[in-house]
């Protein structure tokens, strides 16, 4: 590497006395001056007010032309130097000064772009302290000798030959690939979830599959950069199949069940679900492994996805947010039922969360009826419909019980309680015989 550096230094020193060197220096100075003058003319005219003067309008309203002002001078310098280099190549084969100046101008343009338009600090750091030094080495024709020198330090592990150059290259490209993977995954999922013509389940499965595809692609590209033969993945795939057959079958089952659930749309985010064992909650999150049910008492129920495939469950709100509920109580046999039914229907209909109105069909209106004749009184059944679940923020059932109790007291309607009459009989012998009669 030292010999290559000495050769380049000697070549550059010998060219300082040639006429081509002074011609190139004057061309660079002229390009610098012309670019500066033109940029002074263009900068004041790169404004929204100037471009929208008269009846003209910008083709893209979101575009701010003032952001191009810092790019005027370096962009013009790159273009003018490139034109001079193209013309000078016809007369002189050696134009290393022009090319070096053009490369410096290009690096300057890149520096302005990343400083103005790139918001990620990590990307700015990599370009400033890694990309620009690599560009400078390329200008000086030292990049290839440096890579060859780094390639001489190697370590062989099995069939893989690791060199210092390959390690540095893997780190740089690995960082770039993972950043691009995260950025493309975030952008892609945002675009998928913003599509109004897809329902929530379709958006969820498409975003998950897109995420998996992005990271698989990044992983394969990184393996290729490292130098690992991708045919070796066949062995890994066979081992993975054996692992799935023995120890990972539950994970694979939940993963496949999650895809099936998202495809058949049997449950969606926000559904109120009751499991076979009686536990219930609102579906807050649906991942590729499990579903999270949030209860009204602040607990989370983690349900493996395969439970929704292999067992039965009740989805209260998937297709219809309206639910029917029942209230039961008992009144005395001497109650005026016509008055009772009218009072109960009026009380239930007066609740703001109960669905009521004359325009509704009879099956949706609040109703009160005799359920059966009980031992101590008449069992009354009250039915009503409401939106959403009668729990959590809704307290409709509790409110109606209180309202019905107040209405019964107001109309002097009694709620019976068990009564027992005891009769004591004395026979001729003087023994006592007791019998119980219930009413």
């Amino acid at each position: 590497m030292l010999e290559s550096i000495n050769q380049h230094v000697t070549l550059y020193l010998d060219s300082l006395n040639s006429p081509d060197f002074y011609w190139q220096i004057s061309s660079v100075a002229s390009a610098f001056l012309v670019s500066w003058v033109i940029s002074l003319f263009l900068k004041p005219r790169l404004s929204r007010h100037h471009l929208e003067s008269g009846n003209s309008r910008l083709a893209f309203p979101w575009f701010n032309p003032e952001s191009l002002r810092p790019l005027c001078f370096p962009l013009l310098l790159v273009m003018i130097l490139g034109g001079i280099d193209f013309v000078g190549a016809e007369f002189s084969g050696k134009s290393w000064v022009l090319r070096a100046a053009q490369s410096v101008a290009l690096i300057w343009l890149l520096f302005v772009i990343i400083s103005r338009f790139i918001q990620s600090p990590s990307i700015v750091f990599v370009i400033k302290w890694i990309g620009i030094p690599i560009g400078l080495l390329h200008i000086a024709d030292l990049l290839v000798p440096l890579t060859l020198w780094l390639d001489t330090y190697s370590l062989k592990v099995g069939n893989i030959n690791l060199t210092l150059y390959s390690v540095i290259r893997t780190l740089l490209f690995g960082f770039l690939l993972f950043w691009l993977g995260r950025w493309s995954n975030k952008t892609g999922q945002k675009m998928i979830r913003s599509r109004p013509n897809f329902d929530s389940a379709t958006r969820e499965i498409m975003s998950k599959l897109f995420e998996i595809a992005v990271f698989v692609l990044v992983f394969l590209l990184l393996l290729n950069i490292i130098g690992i033969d991708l045919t070796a993945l066949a062995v890994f795939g066979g081992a993975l199949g054996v692992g799935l057959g023995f120890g990972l079958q539950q994970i694979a089952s939940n993963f496949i069940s999650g895809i099936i659930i998202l495809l058949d749309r049997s449950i969606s985010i926000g559904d109120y679900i009751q499991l076979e064992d009686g536990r219930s909650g609102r579906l807050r999150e649906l991942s590729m492994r499990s579903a999270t049910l949030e209860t009204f008492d602040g607990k989370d129920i983690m349900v493996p996805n395969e439970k929704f495939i292999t067992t039965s469950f009740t989805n209260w709100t998937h297709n219809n947010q309206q639910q029917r509920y029942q209230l039961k109580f008992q009144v005395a046999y001497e109650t005026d039922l016509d008055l009772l039914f009218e009072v109960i229907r009026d009380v239930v209909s007066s609740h703001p969360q109960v669905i009521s109105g004359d325009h509704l069909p009879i099956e949706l209106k609040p109703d009160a009826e005799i359920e059966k004749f009980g031992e101590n009184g008449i069992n009354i059944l009250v039915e009503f419909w409401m939106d959403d679940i009668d729990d959590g923020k809704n307290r409709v059932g509790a409110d109606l019980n209180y309202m019905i109790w107040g209405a019964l007291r107001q109309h002097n309607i009694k709620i019976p309680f068990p009564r027992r009459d005891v009769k004591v009989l004395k026979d001729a012998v003087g023994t006592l015989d007791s019998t119980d009669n219930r009413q």
Side-chain angles (χ1 to χ4, degrees), residues 5-189:
I5 295 176
N6 292 329
Q7 291 177 359
H8 282 83
V9 171
T10 303
L11 180 63
Y12 294 150
L13 291 176
D14 292 340
S15 64
L16 294 179
N17 297 323
S18 63
D20 288 337
F21 173 75
Y22 297 102
W23 174 82
Q24 294 179 58
I25 288 293
S26 61
S27 299
V28 171
S30 302
F32 189 91
L33 181 61
V34 172
S35 301
W36 180 67
V37 172
I38 295 177
S39 64
L40 289 179
F41 174 79
L42 290 178
K43 283 182 179 181
R45 289 161 176 77
L46 287 176
S47 65
R48 182 178 295 273
H49 176 72
H50 181 78
L51 294 178
E52 290 183 350
S53 60
N55 296 324
S56 62
R57 294 291 177 185
L58 288 177
F60 304 100
W62 48 266
F63 175 67
N64 184 15
E66 295 180 0
S67 61
L68 296 179
R69 290 182 180 180
L71 302 179
C72 286
F73 180 65
L75 181 61
L76 288 171
L77 186 59
V78 170
M79 295 172 61
I80 294 175
L81 287 175
I84 296 176
D85 183 35
F86 177 77
V87 175
E90 300 293 333
F91 303 97
S92 176
K94 298 179 180 180
S95 57
W96 64 270
V97 176
L98 279 173
R99 293 180 181 177
Q102 188 179 6
S103 300
V104 172
L106 187 61
I107 292 176
W108 183 10
L109 177 63
L110 179 63
F111 184 83
V112 174
I113 291 175
I114 63 175
S115 300
R116 294 278 181 172
F117 301 102
I118 297 181
Q119 303 297 328
S120 176
S122 55
I123 296 300
V124 173
F125 175 83
V126 170
I127 295 177
K128 283 185 177 180
W129 301 105
I130 298 179
I132 292 179
I134 291 176
L136 294 175
L137 289 174
H138 178 70
I139 294 173
D141 290 335
L142 296 177
L143 185 60
V144 175
L146 179 62
T147 55
L148 293 176
W149 177 71
L150 293 174
D151 223 10
T152 57
Y153 296 91
S154 63
L155 176 64
K156 193 169 185 179
V157 180
N159 295 326
I160 302 176
N161 186 23
L162 296 177
T163 63
L164 185 58
Y165 169 68
S166 64
V167 171
I168 297 175
R169 182 186 61 183
T170 301
L171 292 176
L172 292 178
F173 281 96
F175 172 81
L176 181 61
L177 285 175
F178 276 104
W179 179 83
L180 288 175
R182 289 182 59 187
W183 176 82
S184 60
N185 176 48
K186 183 178 179 180
T187 305
Q189 288 191 355

Side-chain angles (χ1 to χ4, degrees), residues 328-346:
K328 297 180 181 181
F329 61 95
Q330 196 176 67
V331 296
Y333 274 102
E334 61 269 16
T335 303
D336 184 356
L337 294 182
D338 293 331
L339 175 62
L340 173 69
F341 292 155
E342 183 180 356
V343 170
I344 295 302
R345 293 188 183 107
D346 292 341

Side-chain angles (χ1 to χ4, degrees), residues 418-439:
R419 293 184 300 177
R420 177 172 296 170
D421 294 336
V422 180
K423 294 183 180 180
V424 180
L425 301 176
K426 185 176 181 181
D427 59 7
V429 184
T431 60
L432 296 178
D433 183 17
S434 63
T435 60
D436 294 345
N437 296 320
R438 296 182 181 177
Q439 295 182 356

Side-chain angles (χ1 to χ4, degrees), residues 301-325:
I301 303 174
M302 308 299 296
V303 184
N305 288 334
E306 66 170 352
K307 292 293 183 181
F308 296 103
I309 304 297
T310 58
T311 61
S312 62
F313 62 93
T314 302
N315 196 332
W316 286 57
T317 59
H318 184 65
N319 292 321
N320 188 6
Q321 291 290 329
Q322 296 180 351
Q323 307 297 321
R324 188 182 70 173
Y325 291 93

Side-chain angles (χ1 to χ4, degrees), residues 180-421:
L180 288 175
R182 289 182 59 187
W183 176 82
S184 60
N185 176 48
K186 183 178 179 180
T187 305
Q189 288 191 355
K190 184 178 180 180
M191 294 176 61
I192 291 172
R193 291 192 171 101
S194 63
R195 298 291 297 176
N197 53 338
F198 295 153
D199 57 17
S200 58
T202 304
R203 290 194 295 265
E204 189 68 23
I205 188 172
M206 291 183 65
S207 63
K208 293 296 182 183
L209 293 178
F210 181 79
E211 180 181 4
I212 294 172
V214 167
F215 283 102
V216 168
L217 179 61
V218 169
F219 179 71
L220 293 178
L221 290 175
L222 189 59
L223 289 180
N224 194 15
I225 291 173
I226 295 175
I228 298 177
D229 189 3
L230 296 181
T231 56
L233 293 179
V235 179
F236 175 75
L240 182 61
V242 175
L244 290 176
F246 289 97
L248 303 178
Q249 55 181 346
Q250 292 297 326
I251 297 177
S253 175
N254 288 321
F255 179 80
I256 296 173
S257 298
I259 295 178
I260 295 174
I261 290 171
L262 293 173
L263 286 176
D264 65 11
R265 304 177 184 178
S266 58
I267 59 177
S268 301
I269 301 299
D271 289 350
Y272 188 83
I273 297 173
Q274 184 176 7
L275 302 176
E276 194 176 28
D277 56 6
R279 296 179 298 170
S280 60
R282 195 173 294 277
L283 183 61
R284 188 189 66 197
E285 183 180 356
L286 181 62
S287 64
M288 302 305 291
R289 185 187 67 85
S290 63
T292 302
L293 301 181
E294 184 178 6
T295 65
F296 289 117
D297 54 357
K299 297 180 177 62
D300 286 345
I301 303 174
M302 308 299 296
V303 184
N305 288 334
E306 66 170 352
K307 292 293 183 181
F308 296 103
I309 304 297
T310 58
T311 61
S312 62
F313 62 93
T314 302
N315 196 332
W316 286 57
T317 59
H318 184 65
N319 292 321
N320 188 6
Q321 291 290 329
Q322 296 180 351
Q323 307 297 321
R324 188 182 70 173
Y325 291 93
Q326 297 179 347
L327 299 176
K328 297 180 181 181
F329 61 95
Q330 196 176 67
V331 296
Y333 274 102
E334 61 269 16
T335 303
D336 184 356
L337 294 182
D338 293 331
L339 175 62
L340 173 69
F341 292 155
E342 183 180 356
V343 170
I344 295 302
R345 293 188 183 107
D346 292 341
V347 168
V348 176
S349 300
S350 65
H351 196 283
Q353 290 181 265
V354 172
I355 299 175
S356 61
D358 297 334
H359 63 284
L360 296 174
I362 190 171
E363 63 269 15
L364 293 180
K365 294 180 180 180
D367 190 26
E369 59 188 33
I370 297 175
E371 183 186 25
K372 68 177 181 178
F373 297 100
E375 184 177 5
N376 300 295
I378 303 174
N379 294 339
I380 304 300
L381 173 65
V382 179
E383 295 179 334
F384 65 94
W385 286 78
M386 60 171 290
D387 288 323
D388 212 347
I389 302 298
D390 187 19
D391 202 348
K393 63 182 180 180
N394 302 318
R395 293 289 188 270
V396 179
D399 292 344
L400 290 178
N401 280 327
Y402 181 75
M403 294 167 64
I404 290 173
W405 177 77
L408 294 180
R409 292 190 61 185
Q410 182 180 358
H411 292 84
N412 199 24
I413 299 175
K414 298 184 180 299
I415 296 178
F417 53 89
R419 293 184 300 177
R420 177 172 296 170
D421 294 336

